[in-house]
Amino acid sequence: MTASQKAPQKNVPLGPLNPINPVTRVTHRHVEVDGVRVFYREAGPADAPTLLLLHGFPSASHQFRRLIDTLGTRYHLVAPDYPGFGHTEAPADFTYTFERLTDVVEGFVQALGLSRFTLYAFDFGGPVGLRLATRHPEWIAGLIVQNANAYTEGLSELAQGMIANRPGVEGAESRVAEILVLPVTRGQYEGGTTDPALIAPDGWTLDQHFLDLPGRKDAQIALALDYHSNVELYPAWQQWLREHRPPTLVLWGTGDAFFTEAGARAYLRDLPEARIHLFRTGHFALEEKLPEIAPLIADFVDSLPAPLRIAVIGASGHLGGAVAREATARGHRVTPLGRTDADITDPASIAAAVTGHDAVVASVKGPDRLVPRGAGALLEALPAADVPRLVFLGGGGSLEGPDGRRFVDSPDFPAAYLETARDQTEALDLLRATDTPVEWTYVSPPPMHLTPGPRTGTYRVEARDTPLTDPDGHSSISLGDLASAVVDALEQRTFVRRRITLGY
């Protein structure tokens, strides 16, 4: 749904209640993360799609109680309290910054063994959640943004005034302390709503209870003085959205005193396919508009792509193995194929091995032109097996230098890699020249610097014939980042019939 379709939505029934278990069963537990005793709520079938619910200020996981009750028989819902919020217990020397909150949430996710989920980010959940997403893009199956700002145009004058409070600014702490009182807490719930009678007093009452606990106001002041660090990361988060293009649902209360409607619309700049719904309500949109919002969430989660079935030819090698591990970590169903499983030069053998898969990743190396012969066999086999997608892990020797000449044609090209590089170049030429229904992507690492190392998520990917270089002219990528980019291309179905390369 586009931004032009922004009227408040009519209530859409979620369907009949499960006659066996019509009421959501919610558990309340703690888990230890780096000395922090994290409280969380959990509901729903463990094998159902997971939603990680990240709360805002000055609330905690209790803000999601009605949403959990509504969707908890259908999805797996997990809602933690951050340090300094709700029932979570942090040590006295805990440092309250958004980086540290993210560290704890990251450890929480790992402690629960969550490997793939839809991230619901509200208010403070935006900076925590987007930090988490940039650290672990493979975790994010979808993104639900509810009044969580990532664009400067979404900051109201009131918000800009609060963000100006930072360490060293005279009077900053006292100005922040002024908003940590009951009238302001209540105003965040009722402000901007169309019918205050629909806003239960429980939320702001419980929020204020936690705010008034010993040490909690100091924690909130420290976080408020650190909020400027979030704005400084806006460009990096926007770049992540552009590069990773997670399926996204934006829900926004237009009466929010802090985050304006322009902040909701700004997501379309980097996510043109995002669904945006605007509601005439305030900051805590779920309090008044849950009947309209819950069906939108259910429809969005149900629309997310199912795990892919990926056959990886050459999964025992460095490149193929890294891609297989990355795809498995993201919840996809991976079939590793070796020489005993399929003959890469025999279309019939390949077709028999890959039938029933959504995509094939091929990492091929060997004598007697094995690479181009394998590329030709794949182009013949995949249509016969009804497999639409191919990612071919090639080489960087076919990339072009500043003089327009391919590196493999340079007299300085290392002799030890020359035969393989020529074969990989021939395979690329074959893919480009063949009229095929196969949606192929050819991956060229940097010519010399594919290095061991984990995924960082900070790489760049482009469809081009020259290397991607850093400001010093160097072109490099880690094995983990290359694998991440390959799985991104499979999930997002990008760079079809294009050669891509990567770099920092």
Side-chain angles (χ1 to χ4, degrees):
M1 182 167 291
T2 64
S4 62
Q5 296 170 288
K6 63 180 187 300
Q9 305 298 302
K10 294 181 179 179
N11 187 6
V12 180
L14 285 172
L17 290 172
N18 184 333
I20 299 175
N21 183 24
V23 177
T24 298
R25 183 182 298 274
V26 184
T27 58
H28 308 85
R29 299 189 177 98
H30 288 85
V31 64
E32 197 80 15
V33 178
D34 295 333
V36 178
R37 190 166 183 258
V38 179
F39 172 84
Y40 67 101
R41 304 165 196 268
E42 186 173 19
D47 58 351
T50 297
L51 284 83
L52 178 66
L53 308 176
L54 298 184
H55 66 80
F57 163 84
S59 196
S61 61
H62 60 260
Q63 75 167 80
F64 294 115
R65 285 177 299 178
R66 293 181 65 219
L67 182 67
I68 292 172
D69 285 342
T70 303
L71 299 181
T73 59
R74 185 163 173 173
Y75 307 108
H76 179 216
L77 305 175
V78 180
D81 292 351
Y82 313 137
F85 295 80
H87 297 284
T88 286
E89 302 168 13
D93 61 351
F94 186 86
T95 301
Y96 287 93
T97 66
F98 284 90
E99 285 291 335
R100 288 293 291 127
L101 294 191
T102 307
D103 291 342
V104 172
V105 173
E106 179 183 35
F108 168 79
V109 169
Q110 292 168 332
L112 266 63
L114 306 179
S115 61
R116 190 74 168 163
F117 50 81
T118 296
L119 175 67
Y120 188 114
F122 165 67
D123 186 44
F124 274 21
V128 173
L130 287 172
R131 278 179 170 85
L132 191 70
T134 56
R135 295 182 188 184
H136 296 281
E138 75 280 5
W139 287 355
I140 310 302
L143 182 62
I144 300 175
V145 177
Q146 194 250 295
N147 290 75
N149 195 60
Y151 297 86
T152 54
E153 56 263 55
L155 298 172
S156 69
E157 290 187 11
L158 177 61
Q160 293 176 45
M162 291 305 302
I163 293 167
N165 294 311
R166 59 187 67 190
V169 174
E170 185 178 356
E173 292 188 12
S174 60
R175 284 191 291 273
V176 173
E178 291 173 357
I179 71 169
L180 305 178
V181 295
L182 181 58
V184 178
T185 303
R186 177 173 179 171
Q188 290 191 63
Y189 279 80
E190 294 184 327
T193 62
T194 56
D195 187 357
L198 294 174
I199 311 301
D202 310 64
W204 74 70
T205 303
L206 193 52
D207 286 356
Q208 195 62 44
H209 161 76
F210 288 123
L211 279 174
D212 292 337
L213 291 178
R216 288 297 179 88
K217 289 186 178 177
D218 290 338
Q220 298 306 327
I221 289 172
L223 288 169
L225 298 186
D226 185 55
Y227 200 92
H228 65 91
S229 69
N230 301 325
V231 180
E232 291 160 6
L233 287 174
Y234 282 0
W237 296 341
Q238 293 159 17
Q239 180 180 347
W240 184 86
L241 294 171
R242 287 193 301 273
E243 291 178 350
H244 292 272
R245 294 172 56 193
T248 301
L249 172 66
V250 179
L251 309 165
W252 211 271
T254 58
D256 192 329
F258 295 96
F259 302 139
T260 69
E261 180 180 325
R265 296 183 183 277
Y267 279 93
L268 289 174
R269 191 162 67 233
D270 298 310
L271 299 169
E273 297 179 357
R275 309 180 190 183
I276 294 189
H277 298 267
L278 307 177
F279 299 89
R280 292 180 57 204
T281 190
H283 185 64
F284 285 91
L286 287 176
E287 296 295 312
E288 183 177 14
K289 299 297 181 180
L290 178 68
E292 293 88 348
I293 290 175
L296 296 174
I297 293 173
D299 179 67
F300 173 73
V301 175
D302 289 345
S303 73
L304 294 175
L308 295 172
R309 296 161 296 175
I310 304 171
V312 180
I313 298 175
S316 61
H318 289 300
L319 287 178
V323 172
R325 290 189 296 274
E326 176 73 13
T328 299
R330 299 196 194 187
H332 299 298
R333 302 168 188 166
V334 176
T335 303
L337 298 175
R339 294 177 182 175
T340 59
D341 303 302
D343 180 352
I344 189 61
T345 64
D346 180 1
S349 175
I350 296 172
V354 303
T355 294
H357 290 81
D358 301 302
V360 171
V361 175
S363 181
V364 183
K365 184 179 179 181
D368 302 322
R369 298 181 56 253
L370 183 67
V371 178
R373 289 193 294 133
L378 285 163
L379 290 177
E380 183 178 342
L382 266 59
D386 198 27
V387 177
R389 190 78 167 99
L390 168 67
V391 174
F392 198 93
L393 302 180
S398 59
L399 291 166
E400 299 172 3
D403 60 358
R405 182 171 57 176
R406 288 177 167 179
F407 289 102
V408 70
D409 298 325
S410 168
D412 300 325
F413 196 86
Y417 306 112
L418 187 58
E419 180 182 4
T420 297
R422 285 176 173 168
D423 285 351
Q424 291 169 333
T425 300
E426 185 180 346
L428 172 61
D429 292 340
L430 175 65
L431 291 171
R432 284 175 161 171
T434 303
D435 183 15
T436 174
V438 176
E439 297 178 351
W440 60 266
T441 300
Y442 184 97
V443 181
S444 284
M448 298 298 296
H449 297 289
L450 173 61
T451 61
R455 176 193 42 74
T456 70
T458 60
Y459 53 85
R460 294 177 292 151
V461 184
E462 290 186 17
R464 55 189 284 169
D465 290 325
T466 55
L468 280 168
T469 59
D470 64 18
D472 296 325
H474 299 138
S475 180
S476 66
I477 194 75
S478 73
L479 187 61
D481 279 335
L482 182 141
S484 179
V486 168
V487 181
D488 283 348
L490 288 171
E491 291 177 344
Q492 300 161 14
R493 213 162 184 169
T494 51
F495 303 112
V496 171
R497 299 185 184 89
R498 307 290 297 274
R499 182 252 286 279
I500 62 174
T501 190
L502 314 90
Y504 297 120

